[in-house]
Amino acid sequence: MNHQDKKVVTLAYGCQMSERDADTLTAISAQEGYIRSNDLENADLIIINTCCVRESAENKILGKIGEMKKLKEKNPHLKIAVSGCMVQQPGALERLQHRAPHVDIWAGTHNLPEFGRLIQQAEENQKVAEVWDEPGPALEATPLAEKGKLKASVNISYGCNNFCTYCIVPHVRGRERSRKPEDILCEVQELVESGCKEITLLGQNVNSYGHDLDISYDFADLLKQVDKIPGLLRVRFLTSHPKDLSDKLIGAVAAGEHLCEHFHLPIQSGSNEILKRMNRKYTREYYLNRIEKIREIIPEASITTDVIVGFPGETEGDFEQTLDIIDTVRFSQAFTFMYSKRSGTPAAVMPDQIPLDVKKRRLQLLMDHQNDQSLEWRKGMLGKIYEVLVEGPSKSNPDRLTGRTPGNELVVFSGDLELKGSLVKVRMLEARSWTLLGEIVTSLAGIS
Ligand code: SAH
Ligand code: SF4
């Protein structure tokens, strides 16, 4: 086979960090001569980067891995790689190998730097599996994600030290490790030089960034430096743990030139009793105090959240408290989940697990409340002018353009395709269920 003809298709599941890992794996496979493609039927390598944060995600991915068997029967040269959080779960590898013997490469979250070698071994028809219990050498030596994209994500830390009792993440991504500021700044700089206009800084808890560095340097310091990189139009960040959201950070966002006024601040539950059992280390009062502080310093800030319903022992009273906080805070958007039992986490063995029908009912109610709030939030934007980064033609309406506000709200408007990659001022005219319709008032910056 011609070296240049090899094609890789990467399927990414889960959070933005998992998507970023998938990009890195694609970049490593490019070093091995594979060109990125979307054509599963003609692929030479398929990478499935997995997520295990909830059972529903796992079931979907298991189905996908199963489907690969047929593709392999049609194309015996095809190599299948399965990587990421599902593979990294303690004791999972053996079970997965038994269930999917057609997979050629298994790689845990800590084994990204080894991926090139694993591909080479698979090309020699070896079945390979590498799942280290602990992180190995730093990832600094691995290549960047695909360059030249308008928006890109950059990891600022790996892992998590918080051990929320429902969550598998610390078990599959290890303890928190902050990357050195100079490595992060260098990666952002390179991405900007390749045409990137918006960077999202990623960490399970960006607010605790730097605690493990030998210098006195925190996330607010990092944001200030990233903000100064010439050519970068926008900086976003996720996720902010409420317990670590400092006034200094809110102040840094307010003072920043390119920092988006958006905080993703997962509340998880509105009940103090549940928050305690979740090991979230804040109370609803403290959370509300943080919201107040954000709104005092940045009144227009958009705040989004994550909420779990049906955590073990959640009473109707606890759930009411969650609804109450949804109705009080005015989140612009909420990601809502039914609690999912994750083996190895403390909550999985807590008494009073909530039946599925109760969880479903609570989820629906929660979504109804939040949908009203989201619509109200967008209606509150009408008539006002926002800065929008033009991303290109709208998917649902290709004659129009689409882009996002600093608060991450999706806007559709008419304009010249040449505006792609630039900032424009858009007046909001109509609030739909998930989007806003607007009209360009003026172009701002970034037009080349
Ligand atoms: N580090 C981030 C994201 C963690 S995972 C944070 O702390 O917010 C993303 C979201 O998935 C979480 O915020 C939580 O709402 C949800 N989640 C995590 N584990 C879950 C579980 N076992 N069941 C249901 N939802 C879960
Ligand atoms: Fe999971 Fe909690 Fe860490 Fe977020 S902070 S990754 S929810 S343990």
Side-chain angles (χ1 to χ4, degrees):
M1 189 191 306
N2 182 326
H3 187 70
Q4 280 303 315
D5 284 336
K6 293 192 292 184
K7 293 188 186 69
V8 58
V9 178
T10 306
L11 306 176
Y13 293 89
C15 64
Q16 294 207 351
M17 193 151 297
S18 183
E19 276 178 23
R20 179 61 180 81
D21 284 353
D23 263 3
T24 302
L25 293 172
T26 313
I28 296 173
S29 62
Q31 290 185 328
E32 298 301 320
Y34 289 83
I35 299 164
R36 189 194 275 259
S37 153
N38 292 320
D39 181 4
L40 280 173
E41 297 285 333
N42 293 304
D44 302 286
L45 171 66
I46 297 175
I47 303 169
I48 301 180
N49 198 50
T50 60
C51 167
C52 63
V53 81
R54 283 170 292 276
E55 196 183 353
S56 51
E58 274 198 318
N59 289 341
K60 196 159 112 192
I61 297 164
L62 285 171
K64 200 49 147 183
I65 297 173
E67 282 174 30
M68 296 298 130
K69 202 170 162 196
K70 281 202 208 94
L71 285 175
K72 236 183 125 99
E73 280 162 9
K74 276 198 233 158
N75 171 13
H77 299 295
L78 172 64
K79 304 294 175 206
I80 308 284
V82 178
S83 52
C85 290
M86 246 169 101
V87 185
Q88 188 70 45
Q89 287 177 95
L93 178 63
E94 215 169 289
R95 224 172 38 240
L96 287 165
Q97 280 175 315
H98 183 72
R99 188 175 167 139
H102 54 286
V103 171
D104 302 280
I105 302 172
W106 297 97
T109 50
H110 303 318
N111 302 89
L112 264 60
E114 297 289 296
F115 197 63
R117 177 177 57 75
L118 299 180
I119 294 177
Q120 290 165 14
Q121 283 175 278
E123 284 174 341
E124 287 159 14
N125 291 324
Q126 291 176 38
K127 297 259 179 203
V128 282
E130 287 259 356
V131 184
W132 295 335
D133 291 341
E134 297 290 330
L139 279 159
E140 301 308 339
T142 57
L144 295 174
E146 195 181 25
K147 290 190 186 173
K149 285 200 285 192
L150 199 63
K151 303 201 284 184
S153 302
V154 170
N155 289 312
I156 65 164
S157 59
Y158 301 106
C160 181
N161 287 351
N162 289 311
F163 288 95
C164 302
T165 53
Y166 51 80
C167 185
I168 194 77
V169 172
H171 305 265
V172 290
R173 290 198 170 264
R175 296 300 71 71
E176 187 176 83
R177 286 104 54 210
S178 301
R179 288 178 73 195
K180 291 198 204 100
E182 57 269 32
D183 291 331
I184 298 167
L185 292 166
C186 186
E187 183 173 345
V188 174
Q189 177 97 42
E190 278 187 43
L191 284 164
V192 172
E193 279 163 14
S194 80
C196 181
K197 306 284 184 195
E198 178 179 303
I199 292 285
T200 303
L201 303 173
L202 292 183
Q204 296 300 340
N205 177 8
V206 290
N207 299 341
S208 57
Y209 170 80
H211 289 192
D212 54 334
L213 294 174
D214 3 323
I215 48 169
S216 165
Y217 189 89
D218 65 14
F219 183 55
D221 299 324
L222 179 68
L223 270 182
K224 282 183 206 159
Q225 278 198 278
V226 174
D227 191 27
K228 290 202 192 102
I229 293 178
L232 184 56
L233 297 183
R234 274 187 166 173
V235 184
R236 298 186 181 280
F237 55 90
L238 350 134
T239 295
S240 284
H241 196 305
K243 79 179 166 70
D244 298 315
L245 180 67
S246 66
D247 292 357
K248 179 181 172 189
L249 174 62
I250 303 171
V253 174
E257 201 179 330
H258 307 287
L259 311 181
C260 290
E261 291 102 1
H262 172 208
F263 293 83
H264 184 58
L265 202 62
I267 175 130
Q268 313 298 1
S269 168
S271 149
N272 281 337
E273 179 55 34
I274 297 295
L275 286 171
K276 197 158 123 208
R277 277 192 273 138
M278 285 178 161
N279 192 31
R280 288 292 288 179
K281 303 191 181 91
Y282 55 83
T283 59
R284 81 181 258 135
E285 291 75 22
Y286 185 76
Y287 186 91
L288 289 170
N289 161 285
R290 295 292 75 199
I291 299 285
E292 231 172 82
K293 194 76 197 176
I294 295 173
R295 297 226 157 111
E296 177 194 319
I297 300 180
I298 317 174
E300 70 280 17
S302 163
I303 303 172
T304 55
T305 199
D306 293 348
V307 187
I308 299 176
V309 296
F311 185 80
E314 183 187 67
T315 62
E316 283 299 318
D318 293 320
F319 176 61
E320 290 289 329
Q321 298 256 300
T322 297
L323 289 183
D324 180 67
I325 226 158
I326 290 287
D327 295 341
T328 318
V329 171
R330 282 187 299 121
F331 293 112
S332 56
Q333 197 184 1
F335 299 89
T336 53
F337 308 106
M338 281 192 282
Y339 167 72
S340 170
K341 218 180 196 182
R342 302 289 70 202
S343 141
T345 62
V349 290
M350 283 183 186
D352 302 322
Q353 297 283 329
I354 305 295
L356 185 62
D357 58 332
V358 177
K359 285 196 234 182
K360 279 188 178 165
R361 180 175 54 76
R362 288 182 185 167
L363 182 69
Q364 190 55 54
L365 258 170
L366 176 66
M367 289 189 324
D368 292 345
H369 279 245
Q370 181 52 41
N371 288 346
D372 289 348
Q373 291 292 326
S374 296
L375 190 59
E376 280 307 306
W377 174 264
R378 281 195 293 277
K379 280 186 184 162
M381 296 171 70
L382 297 182
K384 295 184 194 153
I385 294 169
Y386 291 81
E387 210 175 271
V388 172
L389 177 64
V390 184
E391 295 181 16
S394 154
K395 272 194 196 120
S396 55
N397 194 343
D399 294 341
R400 302 249 191 125
L401 298 176
T402 188
R404 286 181 185 267
T405 64
N408 214 27
E409 288 95 2
L410 195 64
V411 192
V412 176
F413 47 94
S414 295
D416 197 321
L417 196 53
E418 285 197 0
L419 290 171
K420 183 175 171 184
S422 63
L423 286 175
V424 294
K425 280 196 172 179
V426 176
R427 182 183 290 113
M428 302 302 152
L429 300 175
E430 192 183 327
R432 298 258 170 104
S433 296
W434 308 113
T435 50
L436 287 143
L437 300 185
E439 62 178 4
I440 294 186
V441 183
T442 51
S443 300
L444 279 176
I447 303 171
S448 42

